[in-house]
Amino acid sequence: LTTPDQWYGYFQSLYGNLLYEGGLTPSGVDGGAGTWMRVHWNLQEITADEAIILNTWNDPGYADLKYNTWVSDNTWEFMAYQRQATSAKLCAEFLSKVDGALAAGVDATLVEQMKAEARVLRAYSYYYMIDLFGRGPWITNEPVGAEAPIYDRTQLFEALTAELEDVITNGALVDSKNQKYGRLS
């Protein structure tokens, strides 16, 4: 990346991951099934009896959610976990490289703001890992193929709380009245 616009586009992809389709969607499932909001809505609303799913729906995994049967091969569980881990990895990867934006002419203050937002977005992924699965990988900057350490609910909570407290103390997040619409403040 050699220009500020390229770096800003890279940064925006962290937010875009919350909307993008795709990823590791199992065969037979539509591509939109892997979006962040859809998988999380299904896991939180269908299991809470806040949504009525008819037995005639034949998307894989809905019946298991309807009856609160969490199984290892449920499509929605797989895609939620995959989306959370992907988001955490994308944020970690960005954080490992963003200091290079300074050489491309990105203002140092903006670099610090982007770092803070990336850390909060990564913590958001960990929050959902805690909420839905009770554990997950603590992804920092492991090389491709390396396994991140798996943290239990308490370890993830303590790590993400420390991360958020550091971001707040650092003061790099932009005040809401001065932040661009749709970005963390």
Side-chain angles (χ1 to χ4, degrees):
L1 304 173
T2 58
T3 68
D5 285 344
Q6 289 174 333
W7 276 102
Y8 193 68
Y10 181 20
F11 168 68
Q12 289 174 325
S13 73
L14 304 180
Y15 283 97
N17 181 59
L18 302 176
L19 299 171
Y20 296 147
E21 293 183 9
L24 301 173
T25 305
S27 63
V29 178
D30 66 271
T35 60
W36 181 282
M37 188 57 73
R38 186 171 176 191
V39 296
H40 290 91
W41 188 90
N42 284 341
L43 290 178
Q44 293 181 326
E45 302 302 319
I46 294 172
T47 59
D49 293 334
E50 293 182 20
I52 298 172
I53 299 299
L54 303 175
N55 287 334
T56 57
W57 286 27
N58 53 359
D59 279 0
Y62 275 129
D64 292 333
L65 296 180
K66 177 181 175 182
Y67 296 109
N68 268 312
T69 306
W70 290 66
V71 293
S72 62
D73 64 346
N74 184 288
T75 302
W76 299 107
E77 293 171 45
F78 169 80
M79 288 187 294
Y81 195 83
Q82 180 264 344
R83 183 56 75 188
Q84 292 160 7
T86 298
S87 182
K89 179 60 180 170
L90 290 172
C91 292
E93 187 71 19
F94 177 80
L95 289 166
S96 74
K97 294 179 177 179
V98 71
D99 286 332
L102 296 169
V106 178
D107 180 68
T109 302
L110 180 57
V111 170
E112 291 306 311
Q113 291 169 1
M114 291 189 300
K115 283 181 185 179
E117 290 177 55
R119 292 174 69 191
V120 173
L121 286 169
R122 183 172 58 178
Y124 186 59
S125 295
Y126 295 137
Y127 164 78
Y128 276 102
M129 285 181 195
I130 291 169
D131 184 44
L132 295 172
F133 302 105
R135 65 187 193 129
W138 182 255
I139 301 168
T140 54
N141 193 27
E142 292 79 13
V144 173
E147 291 187 25
I150 301 296
Y151 284 11
D152 64 23
R153 183 181 309 271
T154 301
Q155 291 170 309
L156 268 180
F157 180 79
E158 290 171 354
L160 85 83
T161 301
E163 179 95 341
L164 291 174
E165 287 172 350
D166 187 54
V167 168
I168 291 167
T169 303
N170 179 318
L173 283 177
V174 175
D175 185 283
S176 62
K177 66 182 175 190
N178 297 319
Q179 182 58 290
K180 291 182 180 176
Y181 177 77
R183 286 184 43 193
L184 293 163
S185 58

